[in-house]
Amino acid sequence: MSVELPFAPVDEVIRRNAGDLRVSADAAEELARRIQIRGAELAADAAERADEDGRKTLMPSDFGVEQLVDRADLTLPIAPVDRIARLDIDDTYRVSMDARVALADILEDYADNVAHAAAILAHHADRRTVQAEDIETYFALFE
C-alpha cells in the first residue's frame, strides 16, 4: 500500500508531542500509514451516511463535525487527505472542501493522540527517540 500522506507534516505532529525526544523516519512513516487507514475508514462511513441522505457529496456533518477549524491551523495538508478520503469510496462520491478540512482536523487529532502516547512509550523504554515500534505498540495496546 502506498501512503498518500507526506511524512514531513506527520513528523511535525509527532515532534510537537515528543518534547525533547527525537523522531525516527520510520515512526513518521508508520503513523502516516495508520492515519491513512483511519481516514479511509472514516470516509467510507461518511459515504454511507451521505448515501442514506440521498447525497453523493460528503459534508462535514457526515464526519460528525459541526464546527470547522480554520484550514490554516492544520498541519496535515488537505490534498493528500482528499486522496485518502477517496481510497475506499466509489468514484461517484465527491468530497466537499469543508469535509476535507473536517477530516484533516479529525485525523490530526487522531495523530496527536497516537504521537503523545508513543512519546510516553519511548520515555518508558528509556530511549531518546520515538520509533515505529512505539507507534505499533500503541495500536497493539489500545486498538
Side-chain angles (χ1 to χ4, degrees), residues 37-137:
I37 291 167
R38 181 71 178 142
E41 290 170 351
L42 290 171
D45 291 344
E48 288 179 16
R49 282 190 281 286
D51 195 48
E52 290 169 2
D53 287 345
R55 290 182 284 108
K56 290 294 183 182
T57 301
L58 304 185
M59 304 301 286
S61 60
D62 297 321
F63 291 99
V65 173
E66 294 181 19
Q67 181 72 31
L68 283 179
V69 299
D70 187 341
R71 181 178 176 175
D73 294 336
L74 296 172
T75 302
L76 297 181
I78 300 300
V81 169
D82 179 45
R83 289 191 298 274
I84 289 169
R86 297 169 189 278
L87 287 173
D88 291 341
I89 62 174
D90 190 276
D91 289 340
T92 60
Y93 287 98
R94 296 182 44 162
V95 183
S96 73
M97 180 54 77
D98 287 348
R100 295 173 203 171
V101 172
L103 181 56
D105 183 31
I106 292 167
L107 293 177
E108 194 163 320
D109 286 345
Y110 176 78
D112 276 324
N113 290 333
V114 174
H116 178 74
I120 291 170
L121 291 168
H123 274 294
H124 182 71
D126 202 29
R127 281 187 276 101
R128 296 185 321 174
T129 304
V130 176
Q131 298 177 354
E133 70 185 60
D134 299 315
I135 307 291
E136 293 164 354
T137 300

Side-chain angles (χ1 to χ4, degrees), residues 10-28:
V10 176
D11 181 83
E12 185 178 332
V13 170
I14 298 172
R15 287 181 189 283
R16 76 175 171 223
N17 286 280
D20 61 344
L21 296 175
R22 295 180 295 225
V23 178
S24 75
D26 289 341

